[in-house]
Amino acid sequence: ALRKVLTALGEDVSSDVATEASLARARVAPWRRTLPATVVARLGHPCRVLVHVPHGRAVQVQALLEGGETRPLVQVEHNVTPAEVDGVLVGEAAFEVPADLPLGYHQLRADVEGELNPSLAATRAAVLVVVPDRLDLPASLAAKPASGLMTQLYQVRSKRSWGIGDLTTLGDLASVSALEAGADFVLINPL
């Protein structure tokens, strides 16, 4: 089953040798990017971002906040042996995303000493998402939790529908589930 999923994702896992080669590519992939594509940080908690640059080059990382403010990230101790990637010795540094960044979608940018290659610009940027530490129920739901049904519209069928569900049948399902089962909602995928 795993081989079929990996094959569907474009990986060659037809033999043990091909699988090992696929694993080797997966292990080295983060070392080919300066920054990861996306970093998720929890509000109130610092997190580390691993940055990959040619060994010996200095790098600075900053957060560009939604409101326009720029915040530099502080490099923290992180001792890792450089790795050879595509014939280049690549080092790994760690930077700390501060705990006090506001909720939202921000950006991280890395400036690598002496790096002017425009084709690498995409690898030097990352989306930084700061999410709440936890999500509490609204006060109205804390006293009486809501319950309901989840379905796909094409699964909601009736004798009068064409066999793939329609909005009238969905309305009927909502009414019946509320009246007979006490459901507070019917959740469907976006239409």
Side-chain angles (χ1 to χ4, degrees):
L2 288 175
R3 287 183 190 267
K4 288 186 182 214
V5 169
L6 289 168
T7 299
L9 291 171
E11 292 297 328
D12 180 7
V13 290
S14 57
S15 67
D16 288 344
V17 171
T19 301
E20 284 300 322
S22 177
L23 284 170
R25 282 190 305 277
R27 285 186 194 107
V28 78
W31 290 76
R32 287 192 170 105
R33 290 188 57 90
T34 304
L35 290 171
T38 304
V39 175
V40 178
R42 292 186 322 168
L43 182 67
H45 299 274
C47 77
R48 286 187 171 193
V49 176
L50 298 179
V51 179
H52 298 96
V53 296
H55 183 60
R57 293 244 180 111
V59 62
Q60 294 180 344
V61 180
Q62 55 188 340
L64 307 169
L65 305 184
E66 282 181 319
E69 180 185 355
T70 301
R71 299 268 303 270
L73 272 59
V74 175
Q75 188 169 355
V76 293
E77 187 170 343
H78 181 75
N79 298 314
V80 174
T81 303
E84 188 173 326
V85 179
D86 303 327
V88 176
L89 197 58
V90 177
E92 183 176 79
F95 286 79
E96 187 171 271
V97 175
D100 64 345
L101 293 183
L103 293 173
Y105 289 88
H106 313 293
Q107 281 193 329
L108 291 178
R109 290 276 167 94
D111 294 314
V112 181
E113 172 190 45
E115 183 59 70
L116 302 174
N117 186 345
S119 68
L120 296 176
T123 73
R124 294 191 308 255
V127 175
L128 171 62
V129 185
V130 180
V131 299
D133 184 37
R134 62 176 285 139
L135 294 175
D136 292 317
L137 285 174
S140 61
L141 291 178
K144 181 193 177 286
S147 64
L149 305 174
M150 183 176 89
T151 188
Q152 309 301 322
L153 184 57
Y154 59 81
Q155 292 176 318
V156 180
R157 299 180 179 160
S158 69
K159 290 182 180 180
R160 74 170 173 271
S161 74
W162 289 29
I164 59 169
D166 58 42
L167 295 176
T168 301
T169 304
L170 178 62
D172 293 344
L173 175 65
S175 295
V176 168
S177 63
L179 294 173
E180 295 184 17
D184 297 300
F185 61 86
V186 174
L187 175 67
I188 60 170
N189 276 351
L191 304 177

